[in-house]
Amino acid sequence: MKMRVLYSTGNKKIKNYAIAIGEAQDEQRAAADTIPPAYSCDNERLVVMVVSAGTKLEDTVRRFTGELTKARAKNTVFVFESKTKTISPTQQQLIDIAKEAGTNVLEEYTHFVEGGSLFSSNLTIDERREIVEWCDKVKENLA
């Protein structure tokens, strides 16, 4: 499946979640890239966006998401950094921007992860397994 894993965060653990998803894609080894990516999205079946969105949305993330047309990404799913595991107004704003751009946002698969502290940026085996299984479930339901 043609897919991209993109991230925007200052938190190393959140970046590691994106890398784990990318590394688990056996058929293409979809390396995680920053938002905006080095190469633009083109006819991607799935774009996984791993984002730390605080009270204000970063302009680069907002602009990139606003360009996710159907021609660039048929489906988009979000992984948000969140301790409460609920969608914040900023995260909802990002989802709405993606919908307005034209991509199919898989809101029912929105996933929440907790960031690490300054001293713990590595993922545990369970965290890695959970995020990979989540991505596999999303892909299975696209087929």
Side-chain angles (χ1 to χ4, degrees), residues 49 53 56-70 76 78 80 89-105 107:
M49 293 181 61
K56 187 176 180 204
L57 197 55
E58 284 186 40
D59 194 47
T60 55
V61 175
R62 182 189 54 75
R63 281 186 283 130
F64 172 78
T65 305
E67 296 172 355
L68 284 177
T69 63
K70 280 275 190 208
T76 302
F78 290 93
F80 289 120
T90 306
Q91 294 164 343
Q92 186 61 53
Q93 179 187 6
L94 191 59
I95 289 170
D96 293 342
I97 290 168
K99 285 180 180 178
E100 289 172 18
T103 185
N104 178 38
V105 178
E107 277 191 88

Side-chain angles (χ1 to χ4, degrees), residues 17 20-21 79 85 110-114 123-138:
Y17 274 108
I21 296 169
V79 176
K85 304 219 184 282
T110 300
H111 192 71
F112 299 99
V113 295
E114 286 193 37
L123 301 182
T124 66
I125 297 293
D126 289 339
E127 288 170 330
R128 182 175 292 276
R129 181 174 46 247
E130 179 186 335
I131 197 74
V132 170
E133 287 174 357
W134 167 82
C135 187
D136 289 344
K137 182 177 167 187
V138 171

